[in-house]
């Protein structure tokens, strides 16, 4: 089958001779991919920022498709069902899964991410077919009135943005600042609006991202030394009630702590990997801040999000800037890496 594999930094290749995956256990399913997407998380191995990737790893953790085959232990799914996969692979049965905290699952994994997340590598969705472990937990049916592309982002970026806003406890009337208006930041913005935010301040250095945020109701702001001052000027001198951080670097988190109001909440969905950030504890203590981290959990929030999408309250497809055949996935990575694409969708 055709699939995209990672070989080395800036070296991903589409080939036609990747073996079609087969069921390996009773809870597995094999899914024929209909749409997949390139995510910011894919850029870490692409840019060589993460060690531990095995050459030949099929990438991709955002995909929708049709169930081709199910193991004997898969309940509630059958061949022919349209499904969206959760990017997070979880068993659905361990103590953490029973709490609804699927990213903490004892058997957690991430499609196409080798053993960087979890102990077992599972090939990803930038392919014609994918093997899905724990299929009745990881896959969710897509109703007839929801398109593949609308469902696609429930498996990752929409769920991540929504989880970020939920962990930020966005309440009606809040002024919410979103730091980083990439696909996840934009989904966090949409989610904050859904939760009743009166205003969303959309902070990003890239003009095209600010413009997109602005079209969708955000107040665009450029980052800078005086950002906290500008945010206070827009919030009666207080600062943002909630800050949703979707960048994943120290500077963005520090800036979030500065622009949030006293007693406010910072919720960080950016993929942080710093070993030692200088934490301004004096500031955090003085302002009595709440700081939370949020890895998206599609399994926990997908039913709610499917309803939101069906009701037309969020149509997440607005972030799609490019649709390419899977055969052109290498170009898709180049476009996304260089910032020329907001979101690339691949069509097998
Ligand atoms: Zn992702
Ligand atoms: Zn589990």
């Amino acid at each position: 089958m055709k699939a995209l594999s990672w070989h080395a930094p800036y070296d991903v290749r589409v080939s036609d001779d990747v073996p079609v995956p087969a069921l390996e256990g009773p809870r597995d399913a094999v899914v024929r991919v209909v749409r997949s997407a390139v995510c910011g998380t894919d850029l870490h191995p692409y840019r060589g920022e993460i060690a531990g990737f095995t050459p030949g790893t099929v990438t991709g953790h955002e995909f929708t498709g049709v169930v081709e085959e199910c193991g004997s232990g898969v309940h509630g799914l059958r061949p022919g069902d349209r499904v969206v996969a959760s990017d997070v692979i979880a068993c659905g049965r361990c103590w953490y899964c029973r709490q609804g905290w699927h990213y903490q699952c004892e058997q957690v994994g991430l499609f196409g991410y080798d053993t960087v997340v979890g102990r077992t590598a599972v090939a990803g969705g930038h392919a014609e077919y994918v093997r899905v472990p724990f299929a009745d937990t990881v896959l969710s049916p897509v109703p007839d009135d929801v398109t593949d592309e609308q469902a696609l982002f429930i498996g990752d970026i929409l769920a991540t943005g929504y989880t970020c806003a939920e962990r930020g406890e966005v309440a009606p009337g809040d002024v919410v600042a979103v730091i980083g208006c990439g696909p996840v930041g934009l989904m966090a913005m949409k989610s904050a609006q859904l939760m009743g935010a009166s205003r969303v301040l959309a902070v990003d250095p890239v003009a095209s991202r600010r413009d997109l945020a602005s079209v969708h109701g955000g107040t665009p702001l450029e980052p800078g030394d005086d950002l906290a001052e500008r945010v206070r000027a827009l919030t009666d001198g207080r600062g943002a009630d909630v800050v949703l951080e979707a960048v994943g670097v120290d500077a963005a988190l520090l800036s979030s702590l500065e622009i949030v109001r006293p007693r406010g909440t910072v919720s960080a969905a950016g993929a942080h990997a710093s070993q030692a950030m200088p934490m301004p504890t004096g500031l955090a203590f003085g302002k009595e801040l709440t700081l939370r981290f949020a890895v998206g959990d599609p399994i926990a929030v997908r039913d709610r999000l499917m309803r939101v999408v069906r009701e037309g309250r969020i149509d997440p497809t607005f972030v799609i800037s490019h649709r390419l055949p899977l055969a052109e996935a290498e170009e898709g990575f180049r476009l996304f890496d260089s910032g020329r694409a907001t979101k690339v969708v691949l069509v097998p």
Side-chain angles (χ1 to χ4, degrees):
M1 68 170 181
K2 201 186 292 296
L4 179 85
S5 311
W6 181 95
H7 288 270
Y10 299 101
D11 178 7
V12 291
R13 297 177 211 161
V14 176
S15 57
D16 288 310
D17 56 358
V18 175
V20 174
L23 302 178
E24 291 176 16
R27 293 190 67 196
D28 284 0
V30 171
V31 168
R32 177 172 60 80
V33 177
V34 174
R35 289 288 186 279
S36 64
V38 184
C39 174
T41 307
D42 295 322
L43 292 180
H44 298 306
Y46 185 72
R47 291 171 175 164
E49 294 165 354
I50 282 182
F53 258 70
T54 310
T57 297
V58 175
T59 55
H61 53 263
E62 228 171 358
F63 59 93
T64 53
V66 176
V67 174
E68 189 79 4
E69 202 184 348
C70 283
S72 58
V74 175
H75 303 289
L77 288 173
R78 64 179 71 164
D81 284 353
R82 293 171 66 229
V83 287
V84 55
S86 159
D87 58 345
V88 172
I89 298 164
C91 78
R93 294 180 182 172
C94 72
W95 187 85
Y96 291 101
C97 282
R98 291 201 308 275
Q99 311 308 308
W101 305 336
H102 303 95
Y103 189 70
Q104 306 304 331
C105 173
E106 290 167 7
Q107 298 183 75
V108 69
L110 185 65
F111 286 100
Y113 229 63
D114 209 307
T115 50
V116 174
V117 174
R119 287 190 294 263
T120 313
V122 180
H126 295 152
E128 290 178 286
Y129 295 90
V130 192
R131 180 183 70 88
V132 177
F134 311 123
D136 43 18
T137 297
V138 173
L139 298 175
S140 177
V142 177
D144 290 342
D145 56 354
V146 174
T147 67
D148 295 303
E149 289 184 354
Q150 286 174 323
L152 178 60
F153 302 133
I154 293 176
D156 182 4
I157 56 169
L158 178 54
T160 303
Y162 184 86
T163 306
C164 182
E166 191 179 47
R167 300 269 293 154
E169 295 185 350
V170 173
D174 279 353
V175 175
V176 175
V178 173
I179 306 278
C181 297
V184 170
L186 290 168
M187 294 298 149
M189 179 183 87
K190 281 285 179 192
S191 301
Q193 291 165 340
L194 182 78
M195 293 171 191
S198 62
R199 191 171 191 183
V200 178
L201 312 177
V203 184
D204 198 287
V206 180
S208 59
R209 290 177 164 198
R210 289 197 303 274
D211 291 347
L212 188 56
S214 170
V215 166
H216 289 272
T219 303
L221 287 177
E222 264 185 87
D225 291 341
D226 61 340
L227 178 65
E229 225 168 279
R230 282 180 285 140
V231 170
R232 278 196 297 272
L234 294 167
T235 52
D236 294 331
R238 291 191 296 271
D241 298 302
V242 179
V243 180
L244 307 177
E245 187 266 310
V247 181
V249 301
D250 291 356
L253 192 51
L254 289 166
S255 170
S256 304
L257 298 170
E258 282 167 13
I259 68 171
V260 73
R261 68 155 159 77
R263 282 266 174 164
T265 299
V266 173
S267 176
H272 284 271
S274 176
Q275 294 302 314
M277 187 188 95
M279 175 74 185
T281 48
L283 176 80
F285 181 74
K287 286 166 85 169
E288 297 183 290
L289 299 185
T290 300
L291 169 60
R292 288 209 175 111
F293 292 87
V295 178
D297 187 341
I299 299 167
V301 299
R302 63 193 175 196
D303 291 352
R304 266 178 282 167
L305 289 175
M306 196 63 84
R307 264 199 309 279
V308 163
V309 168
R310 287 183 88 171
E311 288 164 3
R313 297 162 74 199
I314 292 181
D315 184 352
T317 57
F318 78 91
V319 294
I320 300 173
S321 59
H322 294 73
R323 287 177 185 83
L324 297 173
L326 177 60
E328 292 171 28
E330 296 164 27
E331 176 64 5
F333 267 74
R334 281 192 291 272
L335 285 166
F336 191 47
D337 172 56
S338 64
R340 282 173 290 159
T342 308
K343 188 75 181 174
V344 176
V345 168
L346 301 173
V347 185

